[in-house]
Amino acid sequence: MADFSAEMDVAIIGAGVVGCAMARRFALEGARVCVLEAAPDILSGASKANSAILHTGFDAPPGSLELSCMQDAYDEYMEIREAMNLPVLETGAMVAAWTEDEEARLPDLLAQAQGNGVTDTRIISRDEALAREPALAGHVRGALLVPREHVIDPWSAPLAYATQAKALGAEFRFNAPLTGARRDGDTWQLETGAGSLMAKTVVNCAGLYGDKVEEILTGTPSFEIRPRKGQFVVFDKAASQHLRTILLPVPNERTKGVVLTRTAFGNLLVGPTAEEQEARDRPDVTTPELEMLISKAVELVPALQDMPVTAVYAGLRPASERKEYRVHADADLGYYCAGGIRSTGLTAALGIARHVFALWSESHSLAWSKPNDSMAPSMPNLAEHLPRDYQIPGHDGIVCHCEMVTAREIRAAFDSQLPPGDFGGLRRRTRCAMGRCQGFNCLGRIASLAEGKLRTPILPEDAS
Amino acid sequence: MNTTCDVAIVGGGPAGLGAALELSKLGLRRVVVLERFGEAGGIPRHCGHPPFGMREFKRVLSGPAYARRLVQAAEDAGVEIRTDTTVTAIRPGGVLELATTAGAQTLTARRVLIATGNRERTRAQLLAPGVRPVGVMNTGALQSMVYLEGKRPFSRPVIVGTEIVALSALLTCRRHGIKPVAMVETRDRPQTRRIDMMLARLMGVPVLAGAEILAIEGRPRVEALRLRHKGEERRLDCDGIVFSGRFTPEATVARQSDLALDAGTLGPEIDADGRSSDPQVFVAGNVLHPVETAGHCWAEGRRAAQTIFRDLRKTPKLGAGARIVPGAGLRYVVPQRLGAGSAATLNIRTDGAVRGRVVLSDASGRELAARSVRSYPEQPVRLSVPALDSAALAGDLTLRLDRKD
Ligand SMILES: Cc1cc2nc3c(=O)[nH]c(=O)nc-3n(C[C@H](O)[C@H](O)[C@H](O)COP(=O)(O)OP(=O)(O)OC[C@H]3O[C@@H](n4cnc5c(N)ncnc54)[C@H](O)[C@@H]3O)c2cc1C
Ligand SMILES: Cc1cc2nc3c(=O)[nH]c(=O)nc-3n(C[C@H](O)[C@H](O)[C@H](O)COP(=O)(O)OP(=O)(O)OC[C@H]3O[C@@H](n4cnc5c(N)ncnc54)[C@H](O)[C@@H]3O)c2cc1C
């Protein structure tokens, strides 16, 4: 077993979007960082499946840490995204009211949004809603318009954070679950499924296993993860012509309701459901819920009747027994926790990372020297509204025709700083086999291109 | 490279290549086939088993050999085949937008033939429940892995579906030392003739019809398929799952070009000449009717070529005609529109196995054509319709099924 002899300043447990942003932040501050990830690749937990919305925080609990993290992160994302070539699909959002009851709640939502500093929100009439979105069902009564609620690429963004951290010297260890820990004076001795590690500080970003990791580190977890599943249906790209604006439901006491939104990749998405469950590793899709989502989508946008489905998936939110983020620190122990990042982590991650670094700074006088160069990577663009690789000559052929992924893009993913660890990781980095045919045409070719290059291979060991 | 041509053919499968060869034989010089893959030939390229080619070459060939012969014949006749060329849309006026290794290009054609074929529905499109491990795929992916790449994706799969292509999956497995654990059919009976299912029996593969899929299990690879069969819950341990059949047209180009689509086939809507809602654009092959054999698609391509050849001498325009409305028990009918003048053959698919009569009648209730049917579930039903007079075409035509079972 590998022994990582050098002592790290910071060990980050988990490479979800929060862990990736955390690694970037601490690396930018000059720390020697090591990320321990149980899975073969980054983004293997909650972060692999979400709605991909960059939230303004208009409906977040006033005065909450969640709100401030989201808003800090929103600003930071907008600042760094150009240099990193990360897309924003400027959709805006509409919280649409479909009943008298819902309509009556719009003014309260507006007041909350204004109170949260999202001052460009306003209520629009039925006519204005329909003028903006002609395909909406006629029984819409009005909406709260949130102009800066947008859509991003949910995988390239965290991959960019991790790639930047790596370029700044951070190490990533995959298939390396934290299994044991001991505090020796001011140093942690960490045991993983793939060797041991010493670090001064540990940051728990373990998502769905945040409580378990806290238990390993402190003996008694201060919170309990209660997974909440969200299922989605992705419609064919032809569907996206029917809706530009993110369509949000008026939240009520019982459910948050389903969202209809474009994706950065040119599809239209409906979901998520909200289903409590015990299992932390079972994002099952279930037929009745998928059918419910489709009929909900058709109810809101009738033109979606008979629209072909491209994909279905489910994600698990790392919710806890309380609504708020479970962020806390024990400076003496060298332990920091970013847990229970339930349903806004894609947006908030950069802000959470800043907040945790600020907590760390409170009790440490800085001994690290910041790097001169921020080493921001420029990410390959996968968004449909921007130029794609297949449009640039010399790509030596398209491999995945539904998503127009070239052989050059697939090779570039394998040659990158953080190459994919499994098929899912390859799909998230390139979009291959993510389209209509789900590999009917391209799986064979992809399996060949990927042979010998993935920690978890596509083909079984005895494949040839 | 030419930026104009007489006929541009989108898709180099049996239908497209059959049409291209025929157009050349009729004396047309500038025929271009556009194929998105590095090689033309279509689906047969990865069907490494016979029988192909009986109708076309009067002999039994394997799919790849058949595909090579189709390509060779077209090239010998002077057809230009551009591979690695994806048609992304067809604009009015016969303007094709292409994605090539040299970047975006356009090609303007006097007529266009769409022959983009079909594919099998994915587990996502079937809303199949469970987790999403590696090792779940369609027959097409299985075949491209073993025949084109020489790789074996699993050794003990479950095959879901019992349409004829499921037998193609069985044959593929047998040739490559893969031992299917079971064939699972969610409908109440196998979808082919009983004699076809002998193959499963010969291979010792149990067939579970009327099963309900409960969950796909496993991580990172497939470990099992859980299902309910005859009231009992069962767990089939396996290392792969093949979703076979449930064909759907590869109609992306048609959709992106705003051609009218048919709700029954999900492919482009055509008249008896094979003309789509764009007067310059014709359609042939399995993009019209999931699913027919390669030989049928090839013959259909040839017929389309003859129509296009005649049409080149005229100003392209949509023919007047009546729509055929299929009734209960009928999944689709192709063509969807009929015009005056010439006889036609309707290609009909029923929902499941039926016994009875199909009847075509006009708006006044007059019977125009009828035949008895006794079909197994996915069997093509053909109905010959004589040349119709304008009275018959005054309103919608109805196609109904009178069941006798
Ligand atoms: C249905 C749904 C919709 C959502 N929509 C949005 C949205 O539109 N916008 C938005 O901003 N947010 C959204 N979210 C929320 C967002 O996806 C989550 O908040 C975020 O992904 C949480 O990230 P994380 O890094 O905390 O957890 P995770 O992504 O789960 O990362 C934790 C990582 O830790 C690893 N790990 C676990 N245990 C160990 C161990 N012992 N040792 C080492 N590694 C370990 C795991 O393998 C995993 O990779 C949505 C979430 C869901 C489920
Ligand atoms: C897995 C499988 C097994 C089968 N086995 C058999 C069998 O054993 N015997 C049999 O008779 N039939 C079989 N079939 C049926 C098969 O569909 C037909 O044999 C036949 O291939 C249909 O011919 P086609 O020309 O309509 O379409 P295809 O053969 O599918 O050819 C369509 C071509 O168009 C190309 N294309 C699509 N879109 C574009 C675009 N936008 N731009 C450029 N090119 C494009 C495709 O790459 C493809 O080469 C099988 C089908 C499947 C899916």
Side-chain angles (χ1 to χ4, degrees):
Chain A
M1 287 244 160
D3 221 63
F4 319 136
S5 43
E7 186 184 305
M8 293 289 160
D9 295 318
V10 180
I12 290 166
I13 315 301
V17 62
V18 175
C20 291
M22 200 68 70
R24 169 180 177 272
R25 174 49 49 202
F26 276 93
L28 277 171
E29 301 296 342
R32 275 171 310 163
V33 173
C34 182
V35 180
L36 299 177
E37 169 54 55
D41 201 350
I42 66 169
L43 310 181
S44 298
S47 305
K48 92 172 143 193
N50 55 52
S51 322
I53 298 173
L54 185 68
H55 297 295
T56 55
F58 80 94
D59 59 350
S64 62
L65 175 65
E66 183 176 7
L67 175 60
S68 65
C69 285
M70 274 200 277
Q71 295 190 331
D72 288 350
Y74 190 106
D75 293 344
E76 186 170 357
Y77 184 83
M78 290 302 183
E79 245 164 62
I80 64 177
R81 72 167 196 92
E82 246 162 82
M84 296 212 196
N85 197 34
L86 293 173
V88 171
L89 185 64
E90 296 192 358
T91 54
M94 271 164 49
V95 184
W98 300 94
T99 64
E100 209 172 317
D101 239 30
E102 288 176 355
E103 196 180 357
R105 315 245 320 274
L106 292 182
D108 286 349
L109 279 179
L110 176 66
Q112 184 178 2
Q114 300 282 334
N116 284 353
V118 188
T119 50
D120 55 353
T121 48
R122 64 190 173 87
I123 291 174
I124 59 174
S125 67
R126 170 177 190 275
D127 287 352
E128 195 177 343
L130 284 170
R132 199 181 157 95
E133 292 298 344
L136 281 191
H139 66 289
V140 66
R141 302 178 70 95
L144 178 73
L145 185 68
V146 191
R148 287 181 304 113
E149 199 90 348
H150 293 323
V151 169
I152 62 174
D153 173 343
W155 301 305
S156 293
L159 177 61
Y161 310 156
T163 303
Q164 186 174 12
K166 178 104 192 258
L168 290 166
E171 281 183 44
F172 283 78
R173 306 278 168 175
F174 295 104
N175 291 329
L178 182 74
T179 51
R182 189 161 45 89
R183 184 75 173 169
D184 251 0
D186 66 351
T187 302
W188 282 105
Q189 302 283 338
L190 303 175
E191 298 305 325
T192 83
S196 54
L197 177 73
M198 288 194 299
K200 289 262 188 288
T201 295
V202 172
V203 186
N204 175 0
C205 303
L208 290 158
Y209 294 84
D211 52 350
K212 303 282 182 200
V213 164
E214 185 157 292
E215 187 170 7
I216 292 172
L217 291 162
T218 70
T220 38
S222 62
F223 62 104
E224 185 192 328
I225 291 294
R226 295 185 182 164
R228 187 174 306 153
K229 184 166 74 180
Q231 303 192 48
F232 293 93
V233 172
V234 182
F235 289 107
D236 192 275
K237 289 184 199 287
S240 69
Q241 66 188 313
H242 297 302
L243 194 71
R244 288 179 310 138
T245 314
I246 302 167
L247 202 59
L248 302 171
V250 174
N252 69 28
E253 295 313 310
R254 283 165 296 119
T255 88
K256 249 183 97 131
V258 301
V259 177
L260 208 54
T261 171
R262 278 190 178 192
T263 69
F265 316 114
N267 295 79
L268 195 72
L269 185 79
V270 60
T273 57
E275 305 165 64
E276 312 272 343
Q277 65 176 44
E278 293 276 308
R280 298 160 190 248
D281 60 349
R282 296 240 21 167
D284 286 52
V285 291
T286 52
T287 313
E289 281 67 29
L290 298 173
E291 283 168 348
M292 180 278 289
L293 289 173
I294 292 170
S295 55
K296 187 79 197 168
V298 173
E299 182 189 320
L300 304 182
V301 177
L304 295 176
Q305 182 78 47
D306 294 329
M307 184 58 71
V309 167
T310 287
V312 299
Y313 65 93
L316 298 176
R317 304 172 185 85
S320 74
E321 78 283 9
R322 281 198 248 141
K323 201 167 186 276
E324 69 264 25
Y325 287 178
R326 312 310 286 269
V327 175
H328 45 260
D330 183 335
D332 292 339
L333 194 60
Y335 173 65
Y336 295 79
C337 177
I341 314 297
R342 189 177 58 165
S343 51
T344 50
L346 175 65
T347 304
L350 294 170
I352 295 168
R354 276 179 182 274
H355 177 75
V356 169
F357 178 70
L359 286 179
W360 182 91
S361 307
E362 276 172 17
S363 41
H364 295 76
S365 49
L366 214 47
W368 309 326
S369 54
K370 283 197 185 194
N372 298 325
D373 184 340
S374 77
M375 306 292 283
S378 179
M379 304 304 290
N381 171 56
L382 302 177
E384 193 92 341
H385 64 289
L386 299 167
R388 293 276 311 276
D389 191 60
Y390 77 86
Q391 292 158 320
I392 303 163
H395 56 65
D396 62 356
I398 294 170
V399 173
C400 162
H401 284 91
C402 301
E403 294 298 320
M404 307 289 265
V405 183
T406 67
R408 180 167 64 188
E409 281 175 299
I410 291 178
R411 273 196 293 274
F414 285 121
D415 293 341
S416 68
Q417 295 236 31
L418 275 169
D422 57 13
F423 185 33
L426 179 63
R427 288 161 52 114
R428 291 190 286 274
R429 280 171 184 76
T430 64
R431 296 206 50 71
C432 70
M434 289 263 213
R436 302 177 177 95
C437 89
Q438 298 276 299
F440 173 93
N441 285 305
C442 61
L443 196 57
R445 182 81 197 288
I446 292 169
S448 289
L449 288 169
E451 201 162 20
K453 295 186 173 151
L454 298 172
R455 287 177 203 98
T456 303
I458 297 176
L459 298 164
E461 309 300 337
D462 65 342
S464 311
Chain B
M1 198 176 279
N2 281 335
T3 53
T4 62
C5 65
D6 290 322
V7 181
I9 297 174
V10 187
L17 292 171
L21 179 60
E22 186 68 14
L23 284 166
S24 277
K25 283 188 178 163
L26 289 167
L28 214 58
R29 289 277 76 85
R30 301 188 309 150
V31 179
V32 179
V33 174
L34 306 155
E35 169 55 50
R36 59 185 177 177
F37 284 111
E39 235 178 291
I43 296 278
R45 279 186 315 125
H46 56 67
C47 295
H49 51 72
F52 284 92
M54 251 116 76
R55 207 190 294 220
E56 304 86 331
F57 303 113
K58 310 279 178 279
R59 51 186 291 190
V60 177
L61 299 168
S62 74
Y66 168 73
R68 279 192 299 275
R69 284 190 68 148
L70 288 178
V71 171
Q72 195 62 53
E75 281 179 343
D76 289 350
V79 171
E80 178 189 345
I81 300 178
R82 292 191 202 165
T83 54
D84 280 317
T85 302
T86 308
V87 179
T88 52
I90 303 161
R91 301 291 167 218
V95 181
L96 291 90
E97 292 179 1
L98 313 179
T100 77
T101 45
Q105 294 180 350
T106 60
L107 171 68
T108 306
R110 293 170 64 205
R111 297 292 184 280
V112 179
L113 178 69
I114 296 181
T116 48
N118 62 10
R119 57 182 144 80
E120 299 162 282
R121 280 195 175 72
T122 64
R123 71 161 284 190
Q125 290 176 317
L126 297 168
L127 307 183
V131 291
R132 299 164 59 238
V134 176
V136 180
M137 63 190 71
N138 291 122
T139 316
L142 164 65
Q143 291 185 335
S144 67
M145 277 196 176
V146 300
Y147 290 117
L148 299 182
E149 310 288 336
K151 311 273 191 265
R152 204 167 56 167
F154 38 57
S155 53
R156 298 173 294 115
V158 168
I159 297 172
V160 178
T162 55
E163 293 169 35
I164 193 95
V165 65
L167 305 178
S168 183
L170 272 183
L171 285 173
T172 304
C173 288
R174 187 166 71 170
R175 286 226 164 167
H176 293 83
I178 300 171
K179 178 83 179 69
V181 173
M183 287 179 90
V184 169
E185 176 56 62
T186 55
R187 289 160 286 191
D188 58 357
R189 58 163 279 190
Q191 301 294 296
T192 45
R193 291 170 300 182
R194 285 181 212 290
I195 183 154
D196 291 324
M197 295 311 293
M198 287 287 287
L199 178 62
R201 181 116 48 89
L202 281 173
M203 287 175 63
V205 179
V207 179
L208 312 177
E212 181 195 356
I213 295 178
L214 299 176
I216 293 166
E217 302 278 351
R219 179 181 168 148
R221 318 192 69 81
V222 174
E223 286 163 17
L225 183 67
R226 278 200 301 112
L227 46 82
R228 188 175 294 118
H229 182 241
K230 298 195 168 144
E232 244 175 76
E233 235 183 270
R234 292 183 60 173
R235 181 189 157 96
L236 303 176
D237 289 316
C238 59
D239 63 354
I241 302 174
V242 179
F243 280 88
S244 74
R246 306 271 189 163
F247 287 90
T248 188
E250 179 60 68
T252 307
V253 169
R255 215 177 262 286
Q256 276 165 359
S257 311
D258 291 327
L259 299 183
L261 300 184
D262 178 52
T265 61
L266 298 177
E269 194 183 281
I270 54 163
D271 65 14
D273 283 342
R275 197 191 304 262
S276 74
S277 59
D278 177 331
Q280 274 169 278
V281 178
F282 292 75
V283 194
N286 272 341
V287 66
L288 284 175
H289 37 54
V291 54
E292 296 277 357
T293 63
H296 180 98
C297 294
W298 175 82
E300 203 171 71
R302 284 188 59 190
R303 275 200 306 280
Q306 290 155 8
T307 312
I308 289 172
F309 186 73
R310 286 193 301 275
D311 201 60
L312 279 168
R313 281 182 249 134
K314 309 180 207 156
T315 312
K317 70 170 202 291
L318 290 180
R323 171 176 303 276
I324 309 172
V325 181
L330 299 172
R331 196 158 85 222
Y332 67 69
V333 55
V334 179
Q336 291 83 359
R337 287 177 276 130
L338 284 182
S342 52
T345 303
L346 303 186
N347 187 346
I348 301 165
R349 212 55 58 96
T350 59
D351 282 324
V354 296
R355 286 180 61 187
R357 274 180 96 232
V358 284
V359 182
L360 181 74
S361 49
D362 68 11
S364 72
R366 179 165 55 122
E367 273 194 20
L368 305 170
R371 65 163 289 177
S372 63
V373 286
R374 184 182 182 152
S375 72
Y376 58 87
E378 290 291 326
Q379 185 179 354
V381 176
R382 322 253 187 243
L383 176 63
S384 300
V385 182
L388 300 176
D389 53 36
S390 52
L393 299 168
D396 282 352
L397 304 172
T398 46
L399 184 71
R400 71 169 193 277
L401 172 68
D402 295 334
R403 297 187 79 122
K404 290 202 192 97
D405 49 5

